[in-house]
Amino acid sequence: MRTVHFSGRLVGRQEETGRLAGLTAAARAGRGGALVLTGEPGTGKSALLDHARRTADGMRLVRACGSRFEKELPFAALHQLCLPMLGHLSELPAQHRDALRSAFGPAAGAPDVSRVGPAVLDLLSRAARAQPLLCLIDDAHWLDSASSHVLAFLARRIAGEPVAMVFAARPAGAAGELTGLPGLSLSGLSDTDARMLLASLSHTAVDDQVRRRLVLEARGNPLALLEVPSAGGYAPLDTSSVPSPTERGHRSRIEALPADVRLLLTVASADPTGDAALLWAAARHLGIDAMASAAAATAAGLAEFATQVRFCHPLARSAVYRAAAPGERRRVHGALAAVTDPATDPDRRAWHRAQAASSPDADVAAELERHAPRAQTRGGTAAAAAFLERAAALSPDAAERTARTLAAVRAHIDAGMGERARQLLATVEDTAMDRHRLARVDVLRGQLALLRQSGGSGPVFALRAARRLAEVDPAGSRAHLLDALEMSLSTGRVTGALDVVLAAARTAAPAPRSPDALDAFVRLTTEGPRAAYPLLRRVLDGEDAPMWTRRPALAVVLASELWDPHTHTEITEWLMKTGRASGSPQLLRLGLVRTATGSALSGDLGRAQAAIAEEEAVAHAVGGPPVTYHRLQLAAMRGRRDEAVALFEAVGAAARADVHWAAAVLHNGLGEYPAALAAARRAVAHGGLQPAGLVLPELVEAAVRCGEHAAAAAALEPLTESTGAGGTSSGLGIAAYARALVTGREEHYLEAVEHLEKSPLAPYRGRARLLYGEWLRRRGRRRDSRAQLRAAHELLSAAGVEAFARRAADELRATGERAQSRSRAAADRLTEQETHISRLVSTGATSKEIAARLHLSPRTVDAHLRNIFRKLGITSRRQLTGHPALDV
């Protein structure tokens, strides 16, 4: 079964996760124990085992799983559990070694179960001396009897060992050997938690009427919620996959019912809303005796018919739909289409008509395409993708089919469903297309490459699209050059793609409404910042609407190039609002990444951590890899060497320019200037735009510390030019402290401090004062240096920029003064989600308000608060206001 998490946590299992946490904590302290989780299929037993695995810090994991096919094979599951520990076999007494060898095969003779148990206990005890053990046993109802006997023996005798054992079993399977062990029975999720789970799975808008029916029908079963149709109900239940055993049981009951009863149930299964009035109207249309059939279905224990239709078991709905023949399903959808009001529900009517169609139908396809935008308001971009894909399938005309397929590909990309987009794009025949369609295919291939993070091929495809249209459609060609520019800047890879795109732009036909964004970027690279920045600003603000409403990724780069954190914040807020409202995972993820980056640069680490956690959850939901860069940036700014190095290794050899910038920040903070200089040089080696601007002050600082003054002066020149053209307090202040490093003149340090006092970039305010304090101390002005270094230490500590804060503390010590330590131990014990909740509570938000904002239940928020109070050593919400652990 798939594991169900939201932002890395289980949905709605506070009591269960608390019991698991207590069990593992006791084992780490040398007090072993066991817990048997029981529940019906789909209630989340395996998910809880996975949660135990992920949260068992400092413990060694060993696991086993029962199998119905090995139930007759003695010691099969026990062998799985012990295999990783058999390296300790030589440490055991001879009788224990012989018992295990006999049980697991290498030695001759029949194994004695009474001797195997003590031998395994000895093995676990020796293995746990080096590191506490967590033993996870899934599907314990399928354990072979010998393994079951020994594992139950162990569970009752590990009280004095650093060993925790967790079993997962169906209720009937927990009887027998496991009887009497501490247990926990899993019930269904609450309605609130079920709604939260639906939100965490789709990250799209879901029609309220559909959501209510799904929650009501699932009865809290997580597996049933996983089985529900996606995209706001605009996707038929899968009829091709193999039904589960539970579903097969329902099917046998369905097949025994009269035809009219089966047909009524099929109508109910095909309607995503559960609207009883619609059901009765469709039944009349089909000539069904609705009252009698409903009574028979209720008597069979399959469904209940009131104001809302509800199936009596979470998997009964899918069983009914799958049991119906294809022709019968089409007939049912046709009836639902006939009785659905075309004025109030045109999109639902179009969807039912499409599901009723047995062959291409131009009218139905056009209706689907026409109502795709309305469907998107109910089910997000995934719903629009479903409509367009079905419209393409029903299009008899080849040209219209191709156009709708390409529109569906784009919608799937917007919904983050890269694999489905790839499959659809592969069905398109290039040979029958004109240049415009071929160009569109190229751009989609580029966007797909970008979505899948599959190297730097995205700009290459977009550039090819631009070249296809250069002669026949100059305006379209320029638009695709902008696509290529946006992709090359978004990937951030040092591949030279940006230079190729800009070279093509210089020879392109002029824009219809020149100058445009492409002209602005060309001017930037040919004439420099002073000539280009006024045009960049005009393009960013837009004549009719800001650029970020059309090309947000490109707008982010422009705001950075202009050294404008305030506009960056405005773009980020638009991305977050639009991403949530439209149900677009791509826009939301971009907004979360920019939130994390902007928060890290401004020193709001709690907000950055919360954004990182949510971006990872959205990536997991849509099946894509999470973005690594903003996590790396945060680790680098904090000076967390081990964490950053692990992330650098994950990025691999094809490093982005912004990754090299992060490395330069990390090494400058740690005082490792040669490494910082090398990283900064790699970041600017291929020219281009941001992050070259932000990396230049890192290069200047590292070069000065390494005695390479010519390199520092050379980097200072473009930094001064770009920040002067931008004219923002942030840029002017950063350039001023870089200039001070090169010139050694006090007025430049004072200029930096003055400008940065008006900047939201708190870490850079602290760094300016740190550099000024260092300069003052080296000139013997200890009293003056202490004031600057104290302020630097306070700013950098508050921003969580730990390595630079340590530098400030070291400098203070050198003046004879000890820095006031800001204890971060409590803050570091809080998870990203706990930090986020703490900060919201400190503003006066209630649990209910926080739950609505973070897609949690109020009960979940309260459970987090109990953990927060324990970790911070406080007892009330009021104590969170102004707490030092939240100042980062």
Side-chain angles (χ1 to χ4, degrees):
M1 192 191 90
R2 281 186 287 169
T3 306
V4 181
H5 298 98
F6 183 68
S7 295
R9 296 171 291 102
L10 275 171
V11 172
R13 293 296 188 194
Q14 289 75 41
E15 179 185 355
E16 293 85 349
T17 55
R19 286 283 296 274
L20 290 170
L23 181 72
T24 54
R28 282 191 289 268
R31 303 186 304 276
L35 181 65
V36 181
L37 303 171
T38 58
E40 296 293 341
T43 50
K45 302 183 294 298
S46 297
L48 281 165
L49 290 186
D50 190 61
H51 173 81
R53 173 190 63 78
R54 292 183 302 104
T55 57
D57 296 334
M59 300 186 77
R60 181 183 179 184
L61 174 70
V62 291
R63 61 196 313 169
C65 184
S67 169
R68 69 165 77 183
F69 304 108
E70 295 183 348
K71 195 167 171 49
E72 305 305 320
L73 186 61
F75 299 111
L78 188 66
H79 189 208
Q80 290 180 47
L81 190 78
C82 294
L83 189 60
M85 299 178 286
L86 291 182
H88 296 279
L89 196 61
S90 60
E91 304 169 20
L92 304 183
Q95 66 271 27
H96 286 172
R97 287 200 305 272
D98 292 344
L100 292 181
R101 285 172 175 159
S102 175
F104 299 151
D112 183 346
V113 174
S114 65
R115 294 176 57 213
V116 173
V120 176
L121 180 60
D122 193 2
L123 181 69
L124 263 63
S125 176
R126 292 173 189 271
R129 289 176 186 174
Q131 189 177 15
L133 281 176
L134 174 62
C135 306
L136 302 179
I137 301 95
D138 202 357
D139 287 337
H141 47 278
W142 294 120
L143 289 175
D144 61 272
S145 59
S147 294
S148 180
H149 179 87
V150 173
L151 290 170
F153 171 87
L154 296 173
R156 292 181 172 88
R157 287 165 177 80
I158 54 173
E161 304 290 346
V163 178
M165 300 182 71
V166 185
F167 299 82
R170 295 178 188 171
E177 300 286 358
L178 302 182
T179 301
L181 292 176
L184 195 58
S185 178
L186 304 186
S187 58
L189 299 176
S190 69
D191 284 357
T192 300
D193 288 334
R195 285 192 294 271
M196 172 187 158
L197 175 54
L198 280 176
S200 73
L201 291 171
S202 64
H203 286 276
T204 62
V206 177
D207 182 10
D208 285 342
Q209 189 177 7
V210 176
R211 184 189 293 110
R212 284 194 298 271
R213 186 195 62 74
L214 296 176
V215 170
L216 184 71
E217 188 177 287
R219 298 174 185 260
N221 186 294
L223 179 60
L225 292 164
L226 285 168
E227 291 280 324
V228 303
S230 59
Y234 290 122
L237 289 166
D238 181 13
T239 57
S240 61
S241 58
V242 177
S244 66
T246 303
E247 193 173 310
R248 285 196 295 270
H250 287 303
R251 182 172 291 189
S252 64
R253 294 161 63 195
I254 295 162
E255 290 169 350
L257 295 172
D260 271 9
V261 181
R262 294 199 306 270
L263 190 59
L264 182 69
L265 286 169
T266 305
V267 175
S269 72
D271 170 35
T273 68
D275 182 353
L278 192 68
L279 176 78
W280 304 135
R284 287 193 297 272
H285 184 86
L286 291 167
I288 299 172
D289 184 344
M291 291 299 104
S293 296
T298 303
L302 287 166
E304 296 174 357
F305 300 85
T307 54
Q308 191 84 3
V309 180
R310 179 173 71 166
F311 282 89
C312 297
H313 187 278
L315 299 182
R317 179 173 182 261
S318 58
V320 168
Y321 195 83
R322 292 188 214 235
E328 190 170 69
R329 289 196 290 265
R330 288 194 296 271
R331 183 183 170 204
V332 159
H333 281 291
L336 286 166
V339 299
T340 298
D341 189 336
T344 58
D345 279 321
D347 48 333
R348 294 206 190 284
R349 179 177 179 274
W351 183 251
H352 284 304
R353 286 191 72 199
Q355 298 310 113
S358 59
S359 61
D361 187 313
D363 180 52
V364 174
E367 188 177 353
L368 277 172
E369 184 179 35
R370 188 166 60 253
H371 294 302
R374 179 181 169 92
Q376 182 168 337
T377 65
R378 293 189 194 261
T381 50
F387 265 56
L388 292 167
E389 183 175 344
R390 184 64 176 152
L394 291 175
S395 300
D397 179 77
E400 289 184 337
R401 184 165 58 252
T402 297
R404 287 162 180 161
T405 299
L406 295 181
V409 170
R410 176 59 191 267
H412 279 300
I413 290 173
D414 290 343
M417 296 182 287
E419 182 56 26
R420 185 59 193 146
R422 185 195 64 78
Q423 292 169 355
L424 271 180
L425 195 55
T427 67
V428 174
E429 294 287 344
D430 290 2
T431 54
M433 293 187 200
D434 59 20
R435 290 189 185 189
H436 284 86
R437 289 265 169 85
L438 288 171
R440 190 176 181 191
V441 169
D442 285 332
V443 171
L444 289 172
R445 285 174 177 153
Q447 291 170 338
L448 191 54
L450 206 64
L451 174 64
R452 301 171 72 193
Q453 300 181 25
S454 54
S457 60
V460 176
F461 283 117
L463 188 57
R464 189 166 74 183
R467 287 170 175 161
R468 287 188 192 277
L469 300 183
E471 296 179 2
V472 297
D473 183 2
S477 178
R478 288 186 71 85
H480 292 321
L481 282 173
L482 269 177
D483 290 329
L485 181 67
E486 189 169 31
M487 290 179 194
S488 61
L489 291 169
S490 296
T491 60
R493 295 187 182 275
V494 186
T495 60
L498 181 62
D499 294 336
V500 175
V501 173
L502 290 174
R506 292 185 195 108
T507 60
R513 298 173 65 183
S514 187
D516 63 0
L518 208 54
D519 293 320
F521 279 102
V522 170
R523 185 178 297 180
L524 178 62
T525 57
T526 55
E527 301 179 39
R530 291 195 183 279
Y533 277 18
L535 179 54
L536 287 176
R537 170 56 66 185
R538 199 162 79 218
V539 167
L540 184 62
D541 293 340
E543 294 183 10
D544 304 318
M547 182 185 187
W548 55 85
T549 62
R550 302 181 306 278
R551 293 185 179 273
L554 203 54
V556 165
V557 175
L558 276 179
S560 300
E561 182 65 33
L562 293 168
W563 297 87
D564 187 354
H566 298 289
T567 299
H568 182 277
T569 299
E570 192 175 353
I571 296 169
T572 300
E573 290 172 351
W574 180 88
L575 282 165
M576 294 294 295
K577 180 180 178 181
T578 308
R580 293 196 192 283
S582 67
S584 169
Q586 292 307 97
L587 277 181
L588 181 57
R589 290 181 68 188
L590 180 58
L592 290 165
V593 168
R594 300 324 306 175
T595 298
T597 296
S599 299
L601 289 173
S602 63
D604 190 347
L605 299 194
R607 191 171 183 226
Q609 289 172 320
I612 288 169
E614 187 172 354
E615 192 280 328
E616 290 177 348
V618 178
H620 175 76
V622 299
V627 176
T628 302
Y629 166 67
H630 55 310
R631 293 172 57 212
L632 173 57
Q633 181 194 44
L634 186 60
M637 290 202 64
R638 299 178 82 175
R640 301 283 183 89
R641 183 202 303 276
D642 292 344
E643 184 180 344
V645 167
L647 291 167
F648 282 129
E649 291 175 353
V651 169
R656 300 160 50 118
D658 43 20
V659 170
H660 295 312
W661 168 76
V665 172
L666 174 71
H667 292 301
N668 269 336
L670 295 171
E672 299 166 350
Y673 300 113
L677 181 57
R681 280 174 164 159
R682 285 193 296 271
V684 301
H686 292 267
L689 308 176
Q690 290 284 3
L694 267 180
V695 85
L696 288 173
E698 306 302 332
L699 198 159
V700 170
E701 181 173 356
V704 168
R705 300 306 189 204
C706 291
E708 296 196 26
H709 294 283
L716 178 62
E717 184 177 348
L719 176 62
T720 300
E721 184 182 8
S722 66
T723 56
T728 66
S729 57
S730 299
L732 292 171
I734 291 171
Y737 79 60
R739 189 179 311 112
L741 284 167
V742 173
T743 65
R745 292 169 57 179
E746 185 170 11
E747 61 263 34
H748 293 153
Y749 284 113
L750 290 169
E751 182 186 348
V753 170
E754 181 182 355
H755 278 305
L756 285 167
E757 282 303 307
K758 295 172 280 189
S759 167
L761 307 184
Y764 289 91
R765 293 204 302 271
R767 289 180 67 177
R769 290 186 178 274
L770 168 62
L771 293 170
Y772 185 25
E774 289 175 337
W775 183 86
L776 289 166
R777 188 185 70 78
R778 284 164 176 74
R779 277 150 186 77
R781 295 167 56 180
R782 291 194 170 195
R783 179 176 297 177
D784 292 339
S785 70
R786 284 171 187 159
Q788 295 300 325
L789 292 170
R790 278 191 223 108
H793 185 263
E794 180 64 28
L795 280 165
L796 295 167
S797 297
V801 187
E802 299 161 15
F804 287 102
R806 286 194 296 270
R807 270 180 52 183
D810 292 343
E811 288 288 328
L812 266 176
R813 256 191 305 275
T815 69
E817 180 176 317
R818 184 175 295 277
Q820 293 296 316
S821 174
R822 288 173 57 95
S823 174
R824 294 196 35 79
D828 286 342
R829 286 197 300 270
L830 297 181
T831 66
E832 291 169 348
Q833 191 75 6
E834 287 167 350
T835 300
H836 197 23
I837 290 172
S838 299
R839 290 162 65 85
L840 291 172
V841 169
S842 71
T843 66
T846 66
S847 292
K848 193 171 184 180
E849 291 167 342
I850 296 169
R853 177 167 174 175
L854 301 184
H855 305 289
L856 303 173
S857 69
R859 187 178 64 172
T860 300
V861 173
D862 290 338
H864 278 299
L865 277 174
R866 289 193 291 273
N867 287 334
I868 292 163
F869 290 171
R870 175 177 53 80
K871 291 179 180 181
L872 298 184
I874 61 177
T875 57
S876 74
R877 289 169 173 260
R878 289 193 305 275
Q879 291 171 278
L880 284 172
T881 303
H883 196 287
L886 307 184
D887 291 341
V888 296

